[in-house]
Amino acid sequence: MAARESHDALPDNARHSRSDGRLKRSAKAWHRERGTRVRRQRVRAAWLFLTPMLIVLAAVAGWPLIRTFWFSLTDASLSSLDGAQFIGVENYLVFDDGWYGILADPLWWQSVWNTLYFTLVSVSLEAVLGVIVALVLNARFRGRTLVRAAMLIPWAIPTVVSARIWAWMLNDQFGIINHMLLGLGLIDAPLSWTADASLSMWAVIMVDVWKATPFVALLVLAALQMLPSDCYEAARVDGIHPVRVFFRVTLPLITPALLVAVIFRALDALRVFDVIYVLTSNAASTMTMSIYARQQLVEFQDVGYGSAASTLLFMIIALVTVVYLYLGRRQLGGGQ
Amino acid sequence: MTLRMLKAVVLKIGFWALVGVLMLYAIFPFYYAVVTSLKPSSELFEVSYWIDDLDFSNYVAVPSQPAFLAAIRNSVIVAVSVVIIALLLGLTAAWALGRVRFRGRTTVMMLVLGVSMFPQVAVLSGLFEVIRTLDLYNSPGGLILSYTIFTLPFTVWILTTFMRQLPDELEEAAIVDGASPWVTLTKVFMPLLWPAMATTGLLAFIAAWNEFLFALTFTLTDTQRTVPVAIALISGGSQYELPWGPIMAASVIVTVPLVVLVVIFQRRIVSGLTAGAVKG
Amino acid sequence: MASVTLERVNKRFGSTRVIEDVSLDISDGEFVVFVGPSGCGKSTLLRLIAGLESITHGDLMIDGTRVNHLTPPERGIGMVFQSYALYPHMSVYDNIAFGLKLAKSDRQTVDERVRQTAKILQLDGLLDRLPKALSGGQRQRVAIGRAMAREPRILLFDEPLSNLDAALRVQTRNEIAHLHARLGATMIYVTHDQVEAMTLADRIVVLNEGHVEQTGSPRELYEQPMSRFVAGFIGSPKMNFLTALARAEGDAGCRISIPGIGEHVLPRRLLASERETRLTLGVRPEHLTPTAAAGDAGFNILNVEYLGSEAYLYLETPEGEALVCRTEAPAPFVRGDHVTLDFAPHRAHLFDHDGRALPPVHDAGTEPATAPTTFS
Ligand SMILES: Nc1ncnc2c1ncn2[C@@H]1O[C@H](COP(=O)(O)OP(=O)(O)O)[C@@H](O)[C@H]1O
Ligand SMILES: [Mg+2]
């Protein structure tokens, strides 16, 4: 023991020049013992624990996605999935005395435009309204808990139900919205919100905004409640106008949370289906990419063509996600 | 001095007016559905803002339809099963992703996040084939299986967030005590994660209860429908003869449990939603 | 009970080396304390011994058997964590019994051991309580009880007292010392508090940036620090360090001169040439003797601290270096007085510019032959 201690006390160079043989052996042992037994056991358990989830996700997401892509290259129909013949990209685009295929279908292009328009308008409105609601809920006042609970109600109501309720409120003859607008003298004659091609998109947006604003508001509220209060005290001491404080201090600080909420909402809006299906069914003026694809798949039973539409929707959403991630990373990189 | 007081009063009134408008905006549609559902069909086409006298005929009519009862039963079976499966698979996966560092963890996390962004339509035809192969078409089993595509990723994601917040030393104490990963998870972590599991389960339940596209596509007969599909498919002879009273009554019946859950568990729901999103 | 041997143990996190070539022999029943500033790798070293971290390379032996690849329970260790890490949802009884049950002891053995452990730690009345219904000191004892219930060969403690208030800390410290005497188990204890180390340890291991600075009994470390780091770390208030000029003085040692104190011949072996060398002189506060000085000579007293049993003088050298000096209480000086300082030469330490202590002269013959390279 005494010998070992003086060994420790030796200067570095003396220590290293000793026992070269042992160093070599340890270097070899190193690879063998990357982790303790505990660690190896845990890594094995981790994969074991992940397996059920991975299998289920493969069964409901991975494999079906691959199959959908395959179907998009065949002439499969709902009644004869097994007898599908490979036809290349004919479902997407083919020249046969004129252009055919989805990319040549004006209705599909309209559905793309409708989807983008719907996404842009509704998500923008939800972001603005969400911030306002969050600011209100962030103030201290009596009954705040109650108001917050009330704000959650639109979010919890099933989309189909809220679409039905709004359809009733927007009813052209007996709807309360027309009744109110007429009563206020804002319109002369009842509007047919869901049937009129120029109004139906706005009706759909109205319902979506009503339903999704609470989600945005909650995320922004969570960010607001994590803001450091000393910023505000400093601003108040300096006598800066509250509106300026909002744009200079609050908004930049809640932007990350708002961006997260916006991307979640945008991804939801790009695949929107149920609100529109219930409110306006398959009408061309509100047809989105999801509605278009499902109509082909189920109602026209053209699985090949419908799968091609599905695949295009998937690719567009993947593209948006990748662009968002890229921009997000670049912004982060620039900020540092 | 007085000017400043006046300004304060105006600001205060403005604030409360804003609160009032927001409240009205949030709850009026549901309130109006309740009002409508309590009117006899004869008064349906006169707009009124409150309930003059109660008429429960719609609430008698709706549940007496066997299809509606079947839909509620199906919805309960599907949602509860989905919650149980998602929590079971999610909890084990969250332990792996939240507490163990291993090669490939980030990839798995990205995969899970990626699946949560899938448009449901993108897998519709492939999933249809899977469900038909497994002989689950037009049965709750098919819906339970397909609903894991959106419940499982966010369950994993949220539970992972909560799992990470548990102290490292607790797990190390269990290791020193000789606990295997499975014992640590079930005996030490699960009892501590009940609140998180309740939150996640609630969110999964709401998502499954509200789902429409798969339910519409993967079921065929009235007895296998879920509630959203049943409500969406209630129709009259034409667009102008929709039975609005029964529709509103059915809507209220399926929504009230959710509203009650949300009001009771609002704090948990908020924490779950933000835990899932902020870390993303 | 068991002995523990570390042979050139290394730990890396990625490319950063956290533990470097630590070799150590801990004998059966010894109480060893790892001490060092925060971030020096004490916890990491303890966790390597526990088996919670993997050893990057080097060997760990318990009772002569290499255990690098064994799990903590297989190594036969028990551990007390800094945050206690009690299972919040389990009663005191279940906390203590958890490990025993997992070890597949039969129900009666479990019950006996839990009750016996509880008795030793005076937890008898608390067995049904949840951790949140316990005071800090009680939680601490439950944590210790959980660690010792399985009768491990080695008990490990990671800063177990740091969450207690000062009074409770002294009390618990005594209890741990008592426990060690009673169980006779090998104990390894990590702390950043040198007082804890001094009071508890049979042997202290001073760690600095991942390597062992010195090991030895508390007294050895206090009286013969081998480096300026150890000298400064052990002892409170800290040892005073002053710049001094030194010249070798044959067999007698070396002659140093310090501004404001004068010249002394210290029995320390200076191995450099005949030229004057700049060294650091280290003298503990209790080894400095102040004498009232006439006028502005000597050192200015900046502050006098009265502690009842003793008093501390805070001084400033003309160069602006701070000095502390202990006197009997009440001190015969007040703020603003000037004093000269004296010390017994054999109480003083000298450190070269690498921070290494100069060896005492009477050791000259026994130094290993390679040693001179140290002081070149
Ligand atoms: N898991 C880890 N990954 C990377 N670095 C770590 C890890 N654990 C500890 N370290 C680093 O190792 C050094 C020693 O840590 P630690 O042993 O906890 O110090 P101490 O207990 O002496 O305060 C610190 O610099 C710490 O940052
Ligand atoms: Mg530490």
Side-chain angles (χ1 to χ4, degrees):
Chain A
M1 199 211 99
R4 190 177 306 280
E5 254 182 65
S6 64
H7 164 87
D8 273 337
L10 282 176
D12 271 341
N13 52 358
R15 241 190 277 176
H16 283 301
S17 58
R18 261 184 173 186
S19 65
D20 285 348
R22 200 192 294 147
L23 259 185
K24 267 183 211 139
R25 210 207 60 195
S26 316
K28 235 192 275 165
W30 190 357
H31 272 289
R32 200 155 26 88
E33 296 183 351
R34 237 327 175 5
T36 55
R37 266 263 289 295
V38 170
R39 222 190 109 56
R40 286 202 307 274
Q41 201 180 37
R42 284 162 63 77
V43 171
R44 221 177 317 126
W47 282 110
L48 203 68
F49 283 13
L50 282 174
T51 310
M53 177 198 75
L54 290 175
I55 290 175
V56 169
L57 285 187
V60 298
W63 176 248
L65 189 70
I66 294 169
R67 290 300 287 171
T68 301
F69 182 65
W70 162 249
F71 284 140
S72 78
L73 302 174
T74 67
D75 61 358
S77 76
L78 207 54
S79 48
S80 69
L81 278 182
D82 305 324
Q85 293 290 312
F86 181 78
I87 55 166
V89 294
E90 279 184 27
N91 287 321
Y92 295 91
L93 196 63
V94 66
F95 190 83
D96 177 18
D97 264 355
W99 292 102
Y100 294 96
I102 293 173
L103 294 174
D105 183 355
L107 188 59
W108 185 75
W109 283 107
Q110 180 169 6
S111 79
V112 172
W113 165 247
N114 284 343
T115 309
L116 294 179
Y117 184 81
F118 170 81
T119 302
L120 201 71
V121 175
S122 64
V123 174
S124 309
L125 287 173
E126 284 155 19
V128 174
L129 274 173
V131 171
I132 293 175
V133 172
L135 286 173
V136 169
L137 290 181
N138 194 39
R140 285 177 200 290
F141 60 91
R142 282 167 63 102
R144 180 166 69 150
T145 322
L146 192 75
V147 178
R148 190 167 62 178
M151 289 295 153
L152 275 172
I153 289 176
W155 171 82
I157 293 180
T159 313
V160 168
V161 170
S162 48
R164 279 262 147 147
I165 295 176
W166 279 89
W168 170 234
M169 299 204 321
L170 291 170
N171 189 288
D172 48 359
Q173 295 173 43
F174 318 109
I176 192 165
I177 304 265
N178 277 338
H179 187 262
M180 281 182 198
L181 293 176
L182 283 169
L184 292 171
L186 292 175
I187 52 173
D188 309 321
L191 299 175
S192 87
W193 291 93
T194 52
D196 186 335
S198 63
L199 283 175
S200 52
M201 182 54 96
W202 284 99
V204 167
I205 289 173
M206 195 149 49
V207 180
D208 190 69
V209 168
W210 177 76
K211 184 167 167 51
T213 300
F215 174 79
V216 180
L218 286 180
L219 291 200
V220 174
L221 179 63
L224 277 176
Q225 287 175 341
M226 277 190 283
L227 291 188
S229 58
D230 46 358
C231 279
Y232 291 93
E233 275 150 29
R236 192 180 305 167
V237 169
D238 293 347
I240 300 172
H241 193 270
V243 174
R244 257 182 75 161
V245 173
F246 173 76
F247 282 104
R248 290 287 175 78
V249 182
T250 312
L251 199 56
L253 286 174
I254 60 171
T255 301
L258 188 59
L259 282 182
V260 169
V262 162
I263 184 70
F264 271 66
R265 281 303 311 142
L267 290 173
D268 264 353
L270 285 172
R271 59 195 176 192
V272 63
F273 176 77
D274 29 15
V275 186
I276 296 179
Y277 184 82
V278 175
L279 266 183
T280 62
S281 194
N282 290 331
S285 58
T286 53
M287 177 163 289
T288 61
M289 287 188 278
S290 282
I291 302 248
Y292 179 91
R294 201 202 92 98
Q295 190 181 28
Q296 300 293 339
L297 272 172
V298 180
E299 276 153 49
F300 303 159
Q301 311 238 328
D302 192 343
V303 173
Y305 194 86
S307 295
S310 304
T311 304
L312 285 176
L313 171 61
F314 176 79
M315 291 206 258
I316 289 174
I317 288 189
L319 188 74
V320 170
T321 312
V322 168
V323 167
Y324 173 82
L325 287 179
Y326 173 76
L327 287 181
R329 185 161 306 162
R330 214 181 53 170
Q331 199 186 21
L332 275 184
Q336 273 162 4
Chain B
M1 181 63 194
T2 46
L3 199 69
R4 194 182 283 177
M5 270 165 63
L6 193 73
K7 201 171 144 190
V9 167
V10 167
L11 270 177
K12 197 149 198 159
I13 291 173
F15 178 79
W16 282 104
L18 189 58
V19 171
V21 167
L22 289 178
M23 278 288 271
L24 201 66
Y25 178 63
I27 59 179
F28 183 77
F30 186 60
Y31 165 79
Y32 190 63
V34 175
V35 171
T36 306
S37 69
L38 289 171
K39 285 206 274 191
S41 48
S42 52
E43 287 172 27
L44 202 58
F45 303 114
E46 292 157 30
V47 174
S48 64
Y49 291 82
W50 17 85
I51 308 159
D52 302 319
D53 49 354
L54 297 179
D55 178 284
F56 288 99
S57 57
N58 290 323
Y59 286 92
V60 175
V62 169
S64 65
Q65 289 180 13
F68 188 73
L69 289 181
I72 288 189
R73 193 201 64 210
N74 291 333
S75 272
V76 170
I77 291 174
V78 169
V80 169
S81 313
V82 165
V83 167
I84 291 172
I85 291 176
L87 282 182
L88 226 61
L89 301 189
L91 203 65
T92 52
W95 178 81
L97 295 172
R99 307 229 44 115
V100 187
R101 295 165 142 269
F102 59 93
R103 195 173 300 183
R105 187 180 64 163
T106 321
T107 315
V108 175
M109 295 285 283
M110 285 297 132
L111 223 67
V112 170
L113 192 64
V115 171
S116 74
M117 290 172 181
F118 268 31
Q120 280 171 270
V121 166
V123 292
L124 207 58
S125 49
L127 202 52
F128 180 78
E129 190 194 31
V130 169
I131 284 175
R132 234 181 38 177
T133 312
L134 297 174
D135 208 13
L136 294 172
Y137 181 68
N138 196 30
S139 81
L143 296 187
I144 293 168
L145 180 69
S146 57
Y147 285 7
T148 52
I149 195 177
F150 55 87
T151 49
L152 199 47
F154 83 79
T155 311
V156 169
W157 203 254
I158 297 177
L159 286 178
T160 301
T161 313
F162 282 110
M163 195 71 91
R164 286 219 173 114
Q165 292 167 354
L166 294 172
D168 288 347
E169 287 198 341
L170 201 62
E171 183 160 23
E172 287 171 354
I175 293 174
V176 170
D177 268 341
S180 65
W182 178 251
V183 171
T184 310
L185 180 63
T186 51
K187 293 272 173 62
V188 179
F189 284 168
M190 239 167 77
L192 298 177
L193 282 175
W194 271 123
M197 286 167 66
T199 305
T200 320
L202 207 60
L203 293 178
F205 183 89
I206 292 174
W209 185 266
N210 295 357
E211 202 283 336
F212 180 61
L213 175 56
F214 284 166
L216 180 69
T217 311
F218 299 147
T219 58
L220 190 64
T221 53
D222 277 352
T223 52
Q224 301 300 322
R225 304 259 190 237
T226 60
V227 161
V229 182
I231 289 180
L233 295 184
I234 297 175
S235 58
S238 77
Q239 241 270 285
Y240 300 97
E241 292 169 35
L242 283 176
W244 287 110
I247 290 179
M248 289 302 123
S251 298
V252 172
I253 289 172
V254 305
T255 309
V256 162
L258 291 187
V259 171
V260 170
L261 282 180
V262 163
V263 171
I264 293 176
F265 294 108
Q266 56 150 321
R267 217 168 272 282
R268 289 212 178 295
I269 291 175
V270 171
S271 80
L273 281 179
T274 45
V278 171
K279 299 282 165 172
Chain C
M1 309 309 117
S3 65
V4 181
T5 308
L6 284 78
E7 274 185 35
R8 310 199 51 166
V9 167
N10 282 269
K11 176 65 187 173
R12 279 179 216 189
F13 287 117
S15 59
T16 48
R17 258 177 112 169
V18 178
I19 296 294
E20 286 179 44
D21 274 342
V22 170
S23 296
L24 208 60
D25 264 330
I26 298 169
S27 41
D28 190 5
E30 209 178 359
F31 196 126
V32 170
V33 176
F34 295 167
V35 71
S38 123
C40 70
K42 307 177 295 285
S43 296
T44 306
L45 190 56
L46 195 72
R47 293 157 56 79
L48 289 175
I49 295 173
L52 290 170
E53 300 277 2
S54 59
I55 294 173
T56 309
H57 65 104
D59 294 323
L60 173 68
M61 257 93 73
I62 295 180
D63 271 348
T65 316
R66 191 164 173 281
V67 295
N68 287 36
H69 56 286
L70 295 187
T71 62
E74 287 167 344
R75 290 181 193 198
I77 60 114
M79 186 154 173
V80 178
F81 293 88
Q82 183 169 359
S83 65
Y84 314 147
L86 300 178
Y87 309 122
H89 56 293
M90 292 187 201
S91 66
V92 170
Y93 185 98
D94 290 333
N95 262 284
I96 298 175
F98 189 62
L100 290 168
K101 286 180 187 160
L102 289 176
K104 303 238 177 349
S105 314
D106 62 83
R107 192 178 269 200
Q108 196 186 341
T109 322
V110 171
D111 193 63
E112 262 169 35
R113 289 263 196 94
V114 172
R115 298 202 182 276
Q116 189 188 346
T117 309
K119 200 162 165 206
I120 294 173
L121 295 166
Q122 292 144 30
L123 292 166
D124 316 54
L126 307 173
L127 285 173
D128 295 330
R129 293 215 197 153
L130 286 180
K132 64 168 180 267
L134 299 177
S135 71
Q138 290 167 337
R139 281 179 208 178
Q140 173 66 66
R141 277 185 275 140
V142 177
I144 295 175
R146 183 177 62 179
M148 55 181 252
R150 269 182 307 121
E151 298 182 349
R153 297 190 286 176
I154 304 155
L155 268 177
L156 308 176
F157 298 84
D158 192 352
E159 311 221 9
L161 305 186
S162 57
N163 290 331
L164 301 179
D165 62 40
L168 206 52
R169 204 176 295 175
V170 174
Q171 188 196 331
T172 315
R173 200 169 76 198
N174 280 322
E175 284 169 6
I176 292 176
H178 184 73
L179 197 68
H180 178 238
R182 174 166 179 168
L183 298 177
T186 310
M187 292 190 177
I188 305 177
Y189 185 107
V190 161
T191 179
H192 64 269
D193 178 355
Q194 56 98 17
V195 177
E196 254 170 57
M198 297 290 276
T199 50
L200 283 170
D202 293 331
R203 199 145 55 95
I204 296 177
V205 177
V206 182
L207 288 171
N208 182 22
E209 293 181 349
H211 66 267
V212 175
E213 277 287 326
Q214 188 175 353
T215 64
S217 69
R219 182 156 172 211
E220 276 169 351
L221 292 191
Y222 194 77
E223 293 182 353
Q224 295 152 34
M226 291 208 278
S227 66
R228 182 174 164 169
F229 178 84
V230 174
F233 194 78
I234 303 287
S236 173
K238 274 177 65 166
M239 186 185 274
N240 295 299
F241 294 110
L242 289 163
T243 326
L245 290 171
R247 188 196 300 275
E249 183 100 345
D251 285 345
C254 62
R255 173 177 296 278
I256 57 161
S257 69
I258 315 119
I261 295 185
E263 294 204 351
H264 281 278
V265 175
L266 302 190
R268 302 277 160 177
R269 198 148 57 96
L270 179 61
L271 293 141
S273 59
E274 301 302 301
R275 280 180 295 111
E276 262 194 345
T277 323
R278 193 173 278 271
L279 295 176
T280 305
L281 173 79
V283 191
R284 297 206 181 271
E286 61 268 36
H287 298 144
L288 284 172
T289 320
T291 323
D296 279 358
F299 303 93
N300 179 21
I301 297 182
L302 295 176
N303 193 17
V304 179
E305 261 180 20
Y306 170 75
L307 295 178
S309 60
E310 59 201 21
Y312 292 107
L313 308 181
Y314 290 87
L315 311 172
E316 192 186 39
T317 67
E319 285 78 37
E321 289 175 285
L323 284 181
V324 186
C325 170
R326 197 183 84 174
T327 70
E328 79 279 12
F333 307 102
V334 294
R335 182 180 301 154
D337 281 359
H338 282 250
V339 293
T340 57
L341 293 174
D342 201 7
F343 58 89
H346 69 280
R347 294 289 201 185
H349 306 266
L350 276 178
F351 304 98
D352 63 18
H353 69 273
D354 293 330
R356 270 185 267 271
L358 302 197
V361 276
H362 57 78
D363 266 11
T366 61
E367 276 293 306
T370 49
T373 52
T374 316
F375 307 110
S376 55

